[in-house]
Amino acid sequence: MTTAVCPGSFDPITLGHVNIFERASEMFDEVTVLVTGNPEKPSGLFSVHERMDLIRQSVDARINVDYWSGLLVDYTSQHGVDVLVKGLRSSLDYEYELPMAQMNRELADVETIFLLTDPRFAHVSSSLVKEVAKLGGDVTPFLSAHVHKSLMSRLS
């Protein structure tokens, strides 16, 4: 059985994230979306637990959701993870992700698989969605309905 983890902050989860998770779930036996950060010290718009709830509401029940506040390779070792899955929107994402992928392989012999983002979401990031929403722009095409409602409620 091949287990994969999709790590990230997901503050908030976008439809681009969901697309990567769904595609990963077709490739691997078990997929976990891993929210990274300290649940006791919310550093984003949503707490770790709120993000986990939004993710659970956004993905199929066969995709697991967990969190981790430590070194990612410690999670992979403790949970028998074979592969990390990361979405790439552009070459900038690749440049950012490559050294981390190499370090994870060196430290824990865990591979990183890069999936190219669906072109519909290549320009979408959680940070940009929050910024546009704060300024009154329409972000409904990039979020599921319940995430959009939570975002707008949080920003008001």
Side-chain angles (χ1 to χ4, degrees):
M1 180 159 97
T2 305
T3 59
V5 163
C6 303
S9 57
F10 313 115
D11 185 39
I13 183 174
T14 69
L15 292 177
H17 293 130
V18 173
N19 178 266
I20 294 294
F21 306 154
E22 289 174 349
R23 290 167 48 208
S25 73
E26 294 171 5
M27 301 169 71
F28 302 103
D29 299 314
E30 183 177 335
V31 172
T32 299
V33 177
L34 186 66
V35 178
T36 56
N38 186 337
E40 304 306 317
K41 297 180 182 177
S43 60
L45 187 60
F46 294 99
S47 73
V48 169
H49 294 293
E50 289 171 324
R51 288 181 241 167
M52 291 173 65
D53 288 340
L54 291 172
I55 293 166
R56 282 189 189 101
Q57 295 172 45
S58 300
V59 299
D60 188 284
R62 61 195 161 108
I63 297 174
N64 304 309
V65 180
D66 201 357
Y67 72 87
W68 189 252
S69 61
L71 195 59
L72 182 58
V73 293
D74 291 339
Y75 183 92
T76 63
S77 297
Q78 290 178 25
H79 293 85
V81 174
D82 302 297
V83 176
L84 298 172
V85 176
K86 302 292 284 200
L88 295 181
R89 294 168 295 179
S90 71
S91 62
L92 294 175
D93 283 349
Y94 178 76
E95 293 295 326
Y96 177 79
E97 295 291 347
L98 180 62
M100 289 187 289
Q102 291 169 323
M103 183 63 76
N104 290 334
R105 188 159 194 269
E106 181 71 24
L107 293 175
D109 199 30
V110 63
E111 293 290 347
T112 300
I113 303 295
F114 296 117
L115 294 180
L116 298 179
T117 302
D118 185 307
R120 296 175 296 158
F121 306 116
H123 60 292
V124 178
S125 70
S126 296
S127 298
L128 187 55
V129 164
K130 287 185 289 192
E131 184 176 337
V132 170
K134 284 178 188 175
L135 296 172
D138 181 16
V139 294
T140 54
F142 315 120
L143 304 170
S144 58
H146 69 278
V147 174
H148 183 265
K149 180 179 178 183
S150 295
L151 176 62
M152 300 316 292
S153 174
R154 182 59 47 96
L155 293 176
S156 63

